[in-house]
Amino acid sequence: VVLALTTYQVPFFLVRFGQSKLYRSENYGKSFQDVTTLINNTFIRTEFGIAIGPENSGKVILTGDVSGSKGSRIIRSVDFGNTFTRTDLPFQPLMQISYNPRNASVLLVLSMKNELWISENFGESWKNIHDMVCLVKWGADSTILFTTSPNGSCIDRGMLELKKTSDFGRTFQAIGSRIYSFGLGGRFVFASVMTGQGTQRVIHVSGDGGESWDMAQLPPVGHEQFYSILAANDDMVFMHVDEPGDSGFGTIFVSDDRGTVYSKSLERHLYTTTGGDTDFTNVTSLRGVYMTSVLALDGSVQTVISFDQGGEWQPIRKPQNSQCDSTAKDKDMCSLHIHASYSISQKLNVPMLPLSEPNAVGLIIAHGSVGDAISVLTPDVYVSDDGGYTWARALRGPHHYAILDSGGLLVAVEHSPSLPISHIKFSTDEGQCWHNYTFTSSPLFFTGLASEPGAHSMNVSIWGYRESLLGQYWVSITIDFNDLLTRDCDEKDYVPWLAHSNDLSDPEDGCMLGFKENFLRLRKDSVCWNGRDYVVNKQPTPCPCTLDDFLCDFGYYRPENSSVCVEQPDLQGKVLEFCLHGRKEQLQTKGYRKIPGDKCEGGMVLERREIDLSNYCVSNLLGSETLTESRSSSAAPVVVAVIAVLLACVVGAVLFVKKYVCGGRFLVHRYSVLQQHAQANGIEGVDELDANAAETGKTEYHDDSDEARPLRTQNTGHSHSTTHITHTADTTLDKLLKQYRLHTCASSERCFLCLQDLLEY
């Protein structure tokens, strides 16, 4: 089932007139029926008007406006949009309604008055369970975590309280104070906490839902550096630590299995200070593989890849069927560089982010350039079928692409915004050969590809519009490739494939993170259908431990192009101590620790001990007692302190205006948790950010960031339309027609937010 929601708004002075239409398809978008009467012609909000239930729940919620009312209205369906029920709300939603990941009948939402409302009967009735809530998330086991302001204002964010409830609001437990923001990733809860020393904040980590906390034991950092959680699963955390001075880069640190002790993984990691863009990408088609970009000393941007979960990083090999471009000093020595979020933010001709799917083993599709660095020249499309070890140029020029039939079928449409299109390209051999198919005799202006999430389908919908004398009208054409691949695959169509293999003569060939994985993969010359029931077949085999199974330990790092861990210069010769669970521990290490999640057995053993020094220490700042200071009977120190504070405020205000009002970045701890595919990482109950945030612009609510603020829809003064295309069989679908969605703040709003931050300071 596919639902397509279109909205049309015309601003007139202080009033907006709008119209919404809802269309429904039961054949993957081949034909649509106008079902607007089912929603009683209600105008559906464009910001977060449609919310799809998790997995195959069949639940859909549309949020509409009610003329002349202080409340709002939701229109609910439990049968994939076949029927709807209207319910008036006693509040105006501030955010999109959030489903309980374990029970889709339980709903959460914040109101415009920052009230937290819950429904336990799929929106039929609602109950206000807490006032003055600033940020809310579903945690593990149906727990609700949220920040609240005791001062009655979410602007005073450094003084927020973190609470949780495990019984849907009947009882509450305070688990933290002086909170700036919090986020979730894997089994970890992260909190940005005020230290009580000026505006400094530190990251705290909890592995038990907030019952106990520890400060992240990162190497020394300056007060201007921000932290960003790039990715997190049940085993470890990737954290970016910014370099001071608006450099645009920082260092990636990786944690131990407790999420608290970190070691250096990659230096000069690109993370822009203006838009917060990073190319960090989790390749979901093969475990342990990540790609990102570094800022070289000459100012160029270069791509690196890790196959062992951040243990070592290296350039991507040059594709054999490509030549080095003009950026290469040596035409025989260059590498492939992948275009991702940074390239899109720089307005390069890159229409899509890199794409991989857990059930399309080893397959990656991405735009790239071949040279010494990322080039501003028109990129081509490259495909890897072995998880990023080798690549080949598949298509010339930028394209939109999709993976179908668990990787057995690839489709692509040329990116030409100013020219209408009439054909689509497809490949049945993982991008080696491509065929053209003319899908219409009347070309249309292309706006997006839509396919069923999960890459199991054989159908792809091409969305666009055609022009007529009266204006423009939407067109959706669905292609069913079952007419092409008519034969089901059988055993003879699959061959064994060893992941991470590069030397079959080596007995340890294919060992990665402690074990080998043998897969059954489709032959490239087999033209058949994997089918919806296709399951990735893999056979793991344990490996003996080698140096490749170890990361650099706390206080150590691997220099560029080296596999040996050496001491960090600023910690050289010092005793390595850190505080965990309130007790000081001393680390005795040879510079290596086992990669979290590594399953190797026997083999190399590297000595590593954590010695309890039996000394009390402060391991978290979430309790008020840690900031309590003894009072002095002397007035002189108080006067001196007051004068010092006033001087610090003056200096701080000058620096603040210079840095922030004049275009600098906000000093925040950013939680930009990259969306992890639940199937690939086993993540449950974790809020997922929009997978295409970098492609479609910033997400409408940065709910994983210290900069969490609702971003209002830009009012351009002109009429505009918005179309939502949603597949009800999953929780997410690529947001199409991005050029018709306006989510960027107007300049006046940006000034308002800037002044608001100045007043807050």
Side-chain angles (χ1 to χ4, degrees):
V1 175
V2 180
L3 293 178
L5 173 68
T6 66
T7 63
Y8 183 76
Q9 295 185 71
V10 180
F12 184 72
F13 291 101
L14 299 178
V15 181
R16 287 189 180 186
F17 298 93
Q19 180 185 42
S20 297
K21 282 188 172 294
L22 183 66
Y23 301 88
R24 186 174 187 271
S25 171
E26 295 184 352
N27 54 9
Y28 298 100
K30 297 175 185 176
S31 61
F32 281 89
Q33 179 184 0
D34 188 342
V35 293
T36 308
T37 55
L38 295 179
I39 61 174
N40 198 30
N41 297 298
T42 304
F43 177 72
I44 307 302
R45 300 179 62 170
T46 59
E47 302 94 328
F48 40 78
I50 186 166
I52 305 302
E55 297 183 356
N56 294 316
S57 65
K59 291 181 167 60
V60 182
I61 299 176
L62 306 177
T63 304
D65 288 331
V66 181
S67 300
S69 172
K70 295 183 179 180
S72 187
R73 173 178 296 165
I74 59 173
I75 305 171
R76 303 173 290 123
S77 175
V78 296
D79 53 8
F80 299 96
N82 192 44
T83 59
F84 285 90
T85 302
R86 285 178 293 160
T87 303
D88 288 338
L89 303 178
F91 57 87
Q92 286 277 5
L94 177 65
M95 54 176 278
Q96 187 176 75
I97 293 175
S98 176
Y99 291 85
N100 182 337
R102 297 198 170 197
N103 182 358
S105 294
V106 182
L107 309 173
L108 270 183
V109 69
L110 280 179
S111 74
M112 296 292 289
K113 296 181 180 180
N114 291 100
E115 303 161 327
L116 180 57
W117 292 78
I118 191 170
S119 172
E120 297 183 50
N121 53 10
F122 190 53
E124 184 176 343
S125 61
W126 292 82
K127 179 174 63 173
N128 179 7
I129 61 173
H130 208 288
D131 294 330
M132 215 55 247
V133 174
C134 304
L135 179 64
V136 62
K137 294 174 179 292
W138 285 107
D141 301 322
S142 298
T143 300
I144 302 170
L145 294 101
F146 61 94
T147 48
T148 181
S149 173
N151 301 328
S153 172
C154 290
I155 295 178
D156 192 13
R157 299 179 61 210
M159 298 304 294
L160 302 180
E161 293 183 355
L162 181 60
K163 296 183 178 181
K164 76 173 185 177
T165 173
S166 301
D167 53 12
F168 300 144
R170 294 168 180 83
T171 60
F172 297 93
Q173 176 186 357
I175 59 175
S177 59
R178 296 183 303 280
I179 303 295
Y180 197 84
S181 186
F182 76 99
L184 304 176
R187 61 183 176 88
F188 301 107
V189 181
F190 305 96
S192 175
V193 184
M194 305 299 294
T195 64
Q197 301 176 2
T199 59
Q200 284 189 336
R201 301 184 274 279
V202 293
I203 300 294
H204 283 59
V205 184
S206 173
D208 55 11
E211 295 294 328
S212 62
W213 297 86
D214 279 297
M215 283 187 285
Q217 300 296 312
L218 287 163
V221 295
H223 72 279
E224 289 191 352
Q225 296 169 270
F226 68 80
Y227 303 90
S228 174
I229 307 300
L230 299 172
N233 55 37
D234 287 347
D235 294 323
M236 65 183 299
V237 179
F238 283 86
M239 184 178 293
H240 172 97
V241 180
D242 182 39
E243 290 289 327
D246 291 332
S247 61
F249 65 88
T251 302
I252 293 180
F253 293 87
V254 292
S255 76
D256 61 0
D257 54 4
R258 298 166 295 190
T260 53
V261 179
Y262 289 79
S263 53
K264 188 178 293 187
S265 173
L266 178 67
E267 295 183 304
R268 301 191 65 85
H269 175 239
L270 178 70
Y271 201 127
T272 64
T273 56
T274 51
D277 297 296
T278 173
D279 289 340
F280 191 87
T281 302
N282 177 14
V283 176
T284 60
S285 59
L286 197 62
R287 65 184 177 90
V289 182
Y290 294 84
M291 298 188 299
T292 193
S293 295
V294 294
L295 188 64
L297 293 175
D298 62 2
S300 63
V301 178
Q302 302 172 6
T303 300
V304 291
I305 190 168
S306 173
F307 300 104
D308 58 357
Q309 211 160 252
E312 293 185 53
W313 298 84
Q314 60 193 64
I316 299 179
R317 298 177 188 172
K318 182 179 80 71
Q320 292 185 355
N321 64 343
S322 298
Q323 301 296 321
C324 300
D325 62 22
S326 57
T327 64
K329 298 182 179 66
D330 186 341
K331 297 302 180 181
D332 296 323
M333 296 291 294
C334 63
S335 56
L336 175 65
H337 302 276
I338 301 299
H339 290 280
S341 298
Y342 177 72
S343 296
I344 293 175
S345 72
Q346 298 301 304
K347 309 301 182 184
L348 299 185
N349 195 11
V350 180
M352 286 193 68
L353 294 170
L355 179 63
S356 61
E357 293 284 352
N359 55 322
V361 178
L363 196 60
I364 315 172
I365 312 176
H367 290 90
S369 55
V370 180
D372 287 346
I374 287 179
S375 171
V376 297
L377 302 175
T378 301
D380 296 324
V381 175
Y382 293 84
V383 173
S384 173
D385 62 1
D386 56 6
Y389 285 92
T390 61
W391 295 74
R393 185 175 62 192
L395 296 166
R396 290 186 178 273
H399 285 71
H400 298 259
Y401 38 72
I403 299 175
L404 305 180
D405 191 34
S406 301
L409 180 66
L410 307 182
V411 295
V413 173
E414 190 171 353
H415 179 60
S416 55
S418 60
L419 298 175
I421 62 149
S422 60
H423 67 271
I424 188 173
K425 302 173 184 178
F426 66 91
S427 171
T428 60
D429 55 9
E430 297 180 338
Q432 289 187 342
C433 298
W434 292 83
H435 313 275
N436 285 328
Y437 171 69
T438 301
F439 59 85
T440 180
S441 58
S442 302
L444 55 83
F445 289 92
F446 174 82
T447 54
L449 281 176
S451 60
E452 182 179 339
H456 288 286
S457 175
M458 293 288 290
N459 295 272
V460 63
S461 295
I462 299 170
W463 286 80
Y465 63 91
R466 294 191 179 111
E467 296 181 334
S468 66
L469 294 177
L470 300 178
Q472 301 171 344
Y473 60 94
W474 291 111
V475 178
S476 172
I477 299 176
T478 297
I479 304 171
D480 187 351
F481 283 94
N482 277 312
D483 297 334
L484 171 69
L485 305 179
T486 57
R487 182 177 66 85
D488 291 343
C489 299
D490 54 34
E491 291 184 4
K492 68 177 183 297
D493 292 303
Y494 297 93
V495 293
W497 179 70
L498 177 61
H500 297 287
S501 172
N502 55 21
D503 184 3
L504 295 176
S505 62
D506 185 351
E508 297 179 1
D509 183 48
C511 287
M512 185 59 65
L513 300 177
F515 62 98
K516 301 180 182 182
E517 279 184 310
N518 281 280
F519 294 88
L520 285 180
R521 294 185 59 176
L522 189 65
R523 293 178 181 273
K524 288 183 170 55
D525 58 355
S526 288
V527 182
C528 60
W529 179 31
N530 280 318
R532 288 185 170 276
D533 297 330
Y534 173 78
V535 177
V536 175
N537 188 315
K538 57 184 177 181
Q539 298 176 344
T541 304
C543 296
C545 296
T546 67
L547 193 61
D548 293 332
D549 295 294
F550 293 85
L551 288 167
C552 293
D553 210 339
F554 174 77
Y556 289 76
Y557 75 104
R558 281 189 173 103
E560 188 176 355
N561 299 322
S562 174
S563 61
V564 178
C565 296
V566 299
E567 284 187 277
Q568 290 179 211
D570 54 345
L571 296 177
Q572 197 166 14
K574 296 183 179 179
V575 177
L576 297 178
E577 295 180 354
F578 49 81
C579 187
L580 286 176
H581 308 303
R583 300 184 69 85
K584 185 174 291 187
E585 295 188 5
Q586 179 181 336
L587 176 63
Q588 294 183 352
T589 177
K590 297 293 186 181
Y592 300 88
R593 62 180 170 87
K594 203 171 182 180
I595 299 174
D598 192 291
K599 308 297 183 184
C600 68
E601 300 175 357
M604 179 179 289
V605 177
L606 296 176
E607 184 180 356
R608 183 185 193 275
R609 290 194 301 164
E610 294 180 10
I611 303 174
D612 186 353
L613 299 179
S614 300
N615 292 332
Y616 172 78
C617 59
V618 177
S619 60
N620 82 79
L621 302 177
L622 287 161
S624 58
E625 68 277 1
T626 57
L627 295 183
T628 302
E629 299 179 0
S630 59
R631 298 183 180 181
S632 172
S633 58
S634 172
V638 175
V639 174
V640 173
V642 170
I643 295 174
V645 168
L646 291 174
L647 289 174
C649 288
V650 172
V651 175
V654 172
L655 293 175
F656 186 94
V657 171
K658 177 182 177 182
K659 188 171 188 63
Y660 299 146
V661 177
C662 298
R665 68 167 182 274
F666 292 92
L667 302 184
V668 298
H669 304 283
R670 301 181 188 172
Y671 291 96
S672 306
V673 180
L674 210 65
Q675 171 161 331
Q676 307 274 325
H677 197 292
Q679 288 177 267
N681 296 283
I683 297 177
E684 296 181 0
V686 177
D687 293 1
E688 294 180 342
L689 295 181
D690 179 9
N692 298 301
E695 181 180 357
T696 60
K698 297 297 179 186
T699 51
E700 292 178 51
Y701 193 78
H702 296 274
D703 64 349
D704 249 359
S705 172
D706 272 355
E707 297 171 299
R709 284 192 180 90
L711 300 183
R712 304 165 182 83
T713 303
Q714 181 181 6
N715 181 3
T716 62
H718 303 285
S719 64
H720 66 274
S721 62
T722 304
T723 301
H724 304 260
I725 300 94
T726 306
H727 197 288
T728 61
D730 208 305
T731 57
T732 59
L733 179 66
D734 291 344
K735 292 181 180 177
L736 305 178
L737 320 175
K738 58 181 179 294
Q739 55 266 53
Y740 294 94
R741 302 198 64 177
L742 305 173
H743 290 315
T744 305
C745 289
S747 57
S748 59
E749 278 192 272
R750 295 173 67 90
C751 289
F752 169 75
L753 292 175
C754 186
L755 289 172
Q756 191 178 49
D757 281 303
L758 183 58
L759 291 173
E760 176 185 348
Y761 183 84

